[in-house]
């Protein structure tokens, strides 16, 4: 009988040890879950910052292209357009002594 009682005592001691082991494993699992959650939050933050950076870069590239278009217009096309106009003598205002029949000589307020 004492042998059976000691075996029952050892069985209940084993169950207590199993409960303690389960508690330790559960605490370890909670700790790793906490670390993984914070790592996921950091990864999400980095992804959001990357997406914002790409959006800002796209907006900046669009703005730079717009500025480049204006520079192209001002630097290349306008001088070309002005050279095509070829101002001649008909576009230069004349005085009454130079051309008495010209409209600017008859109407001085035009000059």
């Amino acid at each position: 009988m004492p042998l059976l009682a000691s075996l029952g005592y050892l069985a209940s001691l084993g169950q207590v040890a199993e409960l303690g082991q389960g508690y330790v494993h559960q605490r370890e699992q909670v700790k790793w879950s906490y670390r993984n959650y914070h790592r996921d939050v950091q990864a999400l933050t980095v992804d959001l910052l990357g997406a914002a950076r790409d959006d800002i870069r796209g907006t900046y590239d669009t703005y730079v292209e717009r500025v480049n278009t204006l520079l192209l217009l001002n630097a290349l096309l306008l001088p070309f357009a002005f050279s095509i106009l070829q101002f001649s003598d008909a576009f230069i205002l004349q005085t009454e002594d130079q051309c008495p029949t010209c409209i600017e000589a008859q109407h001085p307020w035009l000059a």
Side-chain angles (χ1 to χ4, degrees):
M1 218 44 168
L3 182 63
L4 289 176
S6 65
L7 286 177
Y9 176 72
L10 287 177
S12 65
L13 185 61
Q15 287 176 347
V16 168
E18 187 179 348
L19 284 174
Q21 186 180 17
Y23 174 76
V24 169
H25 285 298
Q26 194 267 342
R27 295 286 295 178
E28 186 76 17
Q29 188 69 27
V30 167
K31 184 170 69 172
W32 281 106
S33 295
Y34 181 77
R35 287 180 182 173
N36 288 336
Y37 170 75
H38 283 288
R39 189 168 290 144
D40 288 344
V41 167
Q42 286 177 346
L44 180 63
T45 303
V46 169
D47 289 343
L48 288 174
L49 287 174
R53 181 195 66 208
D54 291 341
D55 186 37
I56 291 170
R57 182 177 290 159
T59 303
Y60 175 76
D61 288 342
T62 302
Y63 178 73
V64 166
E65 288 301 320
R66 208 177 288 162
V67 169
N68 285 344
T69 303
L70 290 174
L71 286 175
L72 176 71
L73 177 70
N74 288 334
L76 297 176
L77 297 178
L78 285 177
F80 180 72
F82 288 149
S83 69
I84 289 176
L85 286 177
Q86 297 178 357
F87 291 108
S88 62
D89 292 338
F91 291 107
I92 298 173
L93 296 177
Q94 297 178 359
T95 62
E96 190 174 353
D97 296 337
Q98 295 170 338
C99 178
T101 60
C102 294
I103 192 167
E104 63 266 15
Q106 296 171 0
H107 303 284
W109 58 271
L110 288 175

